[in-house]
Amino acid sequence: MIRVMVVEDHPVFAEGLVALFRDLPEVEVAGVASTGEAAVELVDQVAPDVVLMDLHLPGISGIEATSRITARHPGVAVLALTMLSDDASILAAVRAGARGYLLKEATPADIVRSLEAVASGQVVFGAATGSRVLAALTASAVRPRPLPELTEREVEVLDLVAVGLTNHAVARRLSLSEKTVRNHVSNIFAKLGVSDRAAAVARARDAGLGGR
């Protein structure tokens, strides 16, 4: 029996997933959460085998929730199921500890197969994302990271700031709350020893960021 917890803020989609799993004798729905914070707390209470995680959630993002869940419960498999198909979201989910990444266009059969796979310890990516994950991870492994005083997430934020994105736009791109992005920007300023956005962007471009 696989105990699955659904994290999804759209009620109709969440109900569809619950209905799908309830028809499967080998799957038990352990709980449903609609925010990242609620998901982290609910995992503590219901001890699922797999968390099916949307990434664009109110409050903390699904990526941040994944990071917290996998840090506290390394035996719990997180399978991202999302509409976000950009490379930054995919790579962020993998780095947060997700064992799989599916787009919401996946068929019910694909979702069930992936659920069973991550529950058994496998790593699963949909056909549209697998090759991109491999390419992104390989590139990040062989390419020296710019501005080593910053964390990987701070570099991602600064890269997007350097191409002119607002905090709100960065938050949407990386599936973070705007408050979290503001905190990252403040940390970036402090670590780079700059006092404003223009100076941070100048440092970013000197380091080769913001070239997209």
Side-chain angles (χ1 to χ4, degrees):
M1 179 70 70
I2 301 172
R3 289 172 51 77
V4 61
M5 194 181 96
V6 174
V7 185
E8 171 60 57
D9 66 328
H10 290 92
V12 173
F13 195 80
E15 289 167 8
L17 290 171
V18 170
L20 169 65
F21 298 140
R22 281 180 177 158
D23 287 338
L24 302 174
E26 70 275 19
V27 177
E28 175 188 356
V29 178
V32 179
S34 59
T35 69
E37 291 92 343
V40 174
E41 293 179 5
L42 192 57
V43 169
D44 292 337
Q45 299 169 18
V46 303
D49 300 305
V50 178
V51 175
L52 198 61
M53 179 74 73
D54 189 12
L55 298 186
H56 194 194
L57 297 168
I60 67 170
S61 71
I63 290 171
E64 178 63 25
T66 295
S67 179
R68 295 185 190 182
I69 289 169
T70 56
R72 290 161 65 167
H73 304 278
V76 175
V78 176
L79 173 61
L81 180 63
T82 179
M83 294 179 64
L84 301 174
S85 60
D86 59 286
D87 290 352
S89 295
I90 296 170
L91 193 55
V94 173
R95 286 174 170 161
R99 292 191 199 166
Y101 198 105
L102 291 179
L103 299 181
K104 285 185 176 178
E105 63 194 31
T107 66
D110 286 338
I111 294 172
V112 173
R113 279 194 296 268
S114 298
L115 179 72
E116 294 171 340
V118 297
S120 67
Q122 299 179 49
V123 175
V124 176
F125 297 97
T129 59
S131 60
R132 290 160 58 195
V133 169
L134 181 60
L137 289 175
T138 300
S140 64
V142 301
R143 184 176 61 246
R145 189 161 64 86
L147 301 173
E149 64 267 47
L150 303 183
T151 66
E152 291 184 358
R153 174 61 87 190
E154 287 164 354
V155 170
E156 289 177 334
V157 169
L158 181 57
D159 190 26
L160 295 175
V161 168
V163 296
L165 270 64
T166 63
N167 287 354
H168 179 73
V170 172
R172 289 187 60 84
R173 178 73 65 87
L174 297 180
S175 299
L176 300 173
S177 70
E178 194 165 347
K179 179 180 178 182
T180 297
V181 172
R182 287 198 301 269
N183 289 339
H184 282 313
V185 170
S186 294
N187 290 338
I188 289 166
F189 285 6
K191 290 181 179 181
L192 296 183
V194 298
S195 58
D196 57 36
R197 213 173 181 90
V201 168
R203 287 290 304 277
R205 289 178 176 165
D206 287 344
L209 299 177
R212 284 173 289 179

